[in-house]
Amino acid sequence: MQTLFWIGLLFAVGYAAGLLSERFRLPKVTGYLLTGLLLSPSVSGILPLSFMEGSREIVHFALAVIAFMIGGSLKLDKIRKLEKSIIAIMLGESELAFLTVWAGMVFGLTFLLPGKGEDVVMITALFLGAISAATAPAAVLAVIHQFRARGPLTLTILGVVATDDAVALINFSIVLGIASTLMGLTDAPLFVSLISPFVGIAVSLACGIAAGWLQGLHLRYVASESALVISSAAVLLLLYGSMDTFGFDGLLAAMAYGMTLVNSSARSDVLFLTIRHHFEEMIFVLFFLISGATMELEVMAQVWPVALLYVGLRLMGKVAGSRVGARLSGAPEAVRMHIGPALMPQAGVALGLALILYHHPEFGAIGTTVLNTVIAATVVNELVGPLLLKQMLVRAGEVEEKR
């Protein structure tokens, strides 16, 4: 029963935080995160550790719905003109962020972590570079929906964040294989480590597409809105849960499920509108308040120079890479000039990859350094990122602000 009390408290304070955010024309995400931080065990201690430790399933449920909604926003008839730009920008911002963070961290860590060997510095920088490609889809979707953003920049952002997490996963898996080989931690051939992430992504996409196609057929025989939501939610949770159980990418599968469904069934429009109007904000309140409550100021205080360097290098890489991709693909000027800073938010996927490394004890201090750096950087990226995203959408003229 205590869990229900804490969830009720989160809804109450989240409602108040949302009203205050709207009053000052701030992204609600920022208000939710700050409120969660104030309630956290590391600040006020209002939310107990027992609740935080048991909130994992709530977070995963929210992530599944958010990924599904992002996929559902990618109608092919809307993004077809921007398809080339989305791919070019996604590859540019992901890989240039990787290279920028890697190169900058090799130089910076030499001074910020004195006494570490060259191999440790190089491998730490490689992992941080790989993780830097990921963007937080939840914060992006929340800001776009709050301010009713529409236009080429909005569609391009949604397309990019729906795919660059897959690039981060590929980068991370390749770096993990290379690092394991360099440190003599595995006997497996290097090509096996390089191929495995592509197999995992292919399986996740195939399962998501199959689920979307089958559910699209089923929706032809569903009449009521409640039945639309219940049946689609059942497929979503079974899909996401099975991917997680067997070690595949649940987020990517959920996005593929949503995108396939919205493009294969006319009835899906009613489904996504129902979720957006009646359930989406509840999901955002729980997810971002809990996310804010997991932030640890003590960790940031310990590694703040490394974390701030990571944040700055990642943003530089995202801005430069997205502009290169936009220019090469002939993207509209509004996209070319504004998309880079809009990709600053980073949280769940990056933290997940850092935790995977941390749970490889053979990497020792490398895993600890990477995890603490990503946790500290998340505080900055999730608090400042939504503000930057909103500003870019406003400058591009794609925001409908309430007067």
Side-chain angles (χ1 to χ4, degrees), residues 25-47:
R25 293 188 178 180
L26 294 172
K28 289 182 181 179
V29 172
T30 303
Y32 296 153
L33 288 167
L34 284 172
T35 304
L37 179 61
L38 292 175
L39 296 174
S40 70
S42 67
V43 179
S44 67
I46 292 176
L47 288 176

Side-chain angles (χ1 to χ4, degrees), residues 9-313:
L9 177 65
L10 290 179
F11 278 133
V13 297
Y15 173 71
L19 291 177
L20 284 174
S21 299
E22 285 188 329
R23 174 68 179 81
F24 293 101
R25 293 188 178 180
L26 294 172
K28 289 182 181 179
V29 172
T30 303
Y32 296 153
L33 288 167
L34 284 172
T35 304
L37 179 61
L38 292 175
L39 296 174
S40 70
S42 67
V43 179
S44 67
I46 292 176
L47 288 176
L49 282 172
S50 59
F51 172 75
M52 296 305 302
E53 291 168 355
S55 64
R56 181 178 180 274
E57 299 306 321
I58 298 174
V59 170
H60 276 282
F61 170 72
L63 280 172
V65 175
I66 290 166
F68 176 65
M69 292 296 290
I70 287 179
S73 66
L74 299 176
K75 274 198 167 184
L76 291 178
D77 59 347
K78 291 183 179 179
I79 67 171
R80 189 163 282 117
K81 293 181 180 179
L82 296 168
E83 182 178 0
K84 182 180 176 182
S85 296
I86 289 172
I87 294 172
I89 291 170
M90 180 270 294
L91 291 174
E93 57 90 11
S94 298
E95 300 304 355
L96 201 52
F98 180 7
L99 295 174
T100 303
V101 171
W102 172 39
M105 280 292 176
V106 168
F107 178 77
L109 291 177
T110 303
F111 298 96
L112 295 174
L113 298 177
K116 301 292 184 182
E118 291 183 5
D119 290 347
V120 171
V121 168
M122 177 63 70
I123 293 172
T124 302
L126 275 171
F127 277 118
L128 288 171
I131 291 171
S132 70
T135 307
V140 170
L141 186 69
V143 172
I144 285 173
H145 281 186
Q146 177 187 346
F147 295 103
R148 304 192 195 102
R150 291 183 180 179
L153 176 61
T154 301
L155 285 173
T156 304
I157 291 172
L158 287 169
V160 169
V161 301
T163 50
D164 70 357
D165 284 348
V167 176
L169 178 61
I170 292 171
N171 289 345
F172 181 84
S173 298
I174 291 172
V175 168
L176 185 63
I178 293 173
S180 298
T181 302
L182 290 175
M183 297 177 68
L185 302 175
T186 180
D187 296 325
L190 181 58
F191 78 89
V192 174
S193 300
L194 298 180
I195 292 173
S196 59
F198 294 96
V199 174
I201 287 171
V203 171
S204 301
L205 286 174
C207 290
I209 291 169
W213 181 74
L214 291 172
Q215 179 65 358
L217 294 177
H218 173 250
L219 292 188
R220 297 177 184 177
Y221 308 100
V222 176
S224 67
E225 290 184 10
S226 61
L228 283 173
V229 173
I230 292 171
S231 63
S232 299
V235 174
L236 173 62
L237 296 182
L238 288 169
L239 173 67
Y240 188 93
S242 61
M243 292 295 100
D244 187 57
T245 299
F246 293 105
F248 296 109
D249 191 336
L251 282 177
L252 195 58
M255 287 180 188
Y257 169 43
M259 185 173 180
T260 304
L261 186 59
V262 79
N263 287 288
S264 63
S265 171
R267 294 279 291 155
S268 65
D269 289 340
V270 177
L271 167 67
F272 286 106
L273 283 175
T274 301
I275 295 174
R276 181 172 176 177
H277 291 161
H278 301 292
F279 302 103
E280 186 179 72
E281 198 62 30
M282 296 173 65
I283 298 293
F284 288 152
V285 167
L286 287 177
F287 178 77
F288 288 110
L289 280 170
I290 292 174
S291 297
T294 60
M295 296 179 181
E296 299 183 30
L297 296 183
E298 299 95 330
V299 172
M300 188 172 183
Q302 294 169 7
V303 297
W304 69 266
V306 179
L308 290 180
L309 177 62
Y310 169 82
V311 169
L313 290 169

